[in-house]
Amino acid sequence: MDGKFPIIETDRLILRKVTKNDANEMLAYLSDEEVVKHIGLTPFQSLSDVWDEIEWYDSIIEEGTGIRWGITLKGNNKVIGSCGFLNMKSKHFRAEVGFELSKDFWGKGIASEALEGVINYGYRHFQLERIEALIEPANLPSQKLVERQGFTREGLLRSYEYTCGKFDDLYMYSRLKTDVRST
């Protein structure tokens, strides 16, 4: 990237850089056990936890291994979730996509709209060929979301991650630039 954080605009959303000014809004959803239970985090307890998360967002940009956008509704600058790339491997033209959204906004197509904007950005600006999503078997809503976005389940990665004191199985999903999106 050229030093200027990219903004993604969709029909209803503005995806933008998260700053420490967004910490209170982020704490509201990242402290919710239902929001974080499938993303390998324990519920956040304090603003310090959120600041660590924001520092991680900054570090993956600096390292060139990812980028994370805050999700906001047009006309309201309040961060209600995040979406972006991690484990980016430019040499191999691939990255993993991740997302979370405040429970207040579940079921409204917001995560899908944000994900679509991020995916399109990845294909255009990072020249990604493959975008992966790793999802816990119990996380049916996220599986359905990525499947609606044209991702294919490739298989189960057994005991793939160790988070929150346990080993997690994860489904590997992928979408290739050449895949035709089914709606």
Side-chain angles (χ1 to χ4, degrees), residues 80-116:
I80 59 171
S82 79
C83 186
F85 297 116
L86 61 154
N87 298 324
M88 191 179 295
K89 305 286 186 203
S90 300
K91 173 182 173 184
H92 299 293
F93 301 90
R94 75 170 183 253
E96 180 184 336
V97 71
F99 49 88
E100 82 280 329
L101 187 65
S102 169
K103 196 167 51 183
D104 295 341
F105 298 93
W106 288 2
K108 298 177 180 179
I110 291 171
S112 182
E113 190 172 326
L115 182 60
E116 185 172 15

Side-chain angles (χ1 to χ4, degrees), residues 146-157:
V146 299
E147 287 168 1
R148 282 192 308 269
Q149 288 287 338
F151 282 73
T152 299
R153 185 190 301 176
E154 296 182 332
L156 180 68
L157 303 172

Side-chain angles (χ1 to χ4, degrees), residues 42-57:
T42 55
F44 285 21
Q45 303 296 314
S46 68
L47 288 175
S48 178
D49 293 337
V50 178
W51 295 333
D52 289 345
E53 184 78 356
I54 293 169
E55 284 178 19
W56 177 70
Y57 293 0

Side-chain angles (χ1 to χ4, degrees), residues 99-135:
F99 49 88
E100 82 280 329
L101 187 65
S102 169
K103 196 167 51 183
D104 295 341
F105 298 93
W106 288 2
K108 298 177 180 179
I110 291 171
S112 182
E113 190 172 326
L115 182 60
E116 185 172 15
V118 166
I119 288 168
N120 290 334
Y121 188 91
Y123 289 142
R124 279 195 315 271
H125 297 279
F126 295 129
Q127 286 73 50
L128 295 175
E129 172 61 27
R130 174 185 170 91
I131 297 174
E132 301 171 343
L134 299 174
I135 302 173

Side-chain angles (χ1 to χ4, degrees), residues 33-45:
E33 187 174 339
E34 286 188 71
V35 171
V36 301
K37 73 179 174 183
H38 293 301
I39 59 175
L41 298 173
T42 55
F44 285 21
Q45 303 296 314

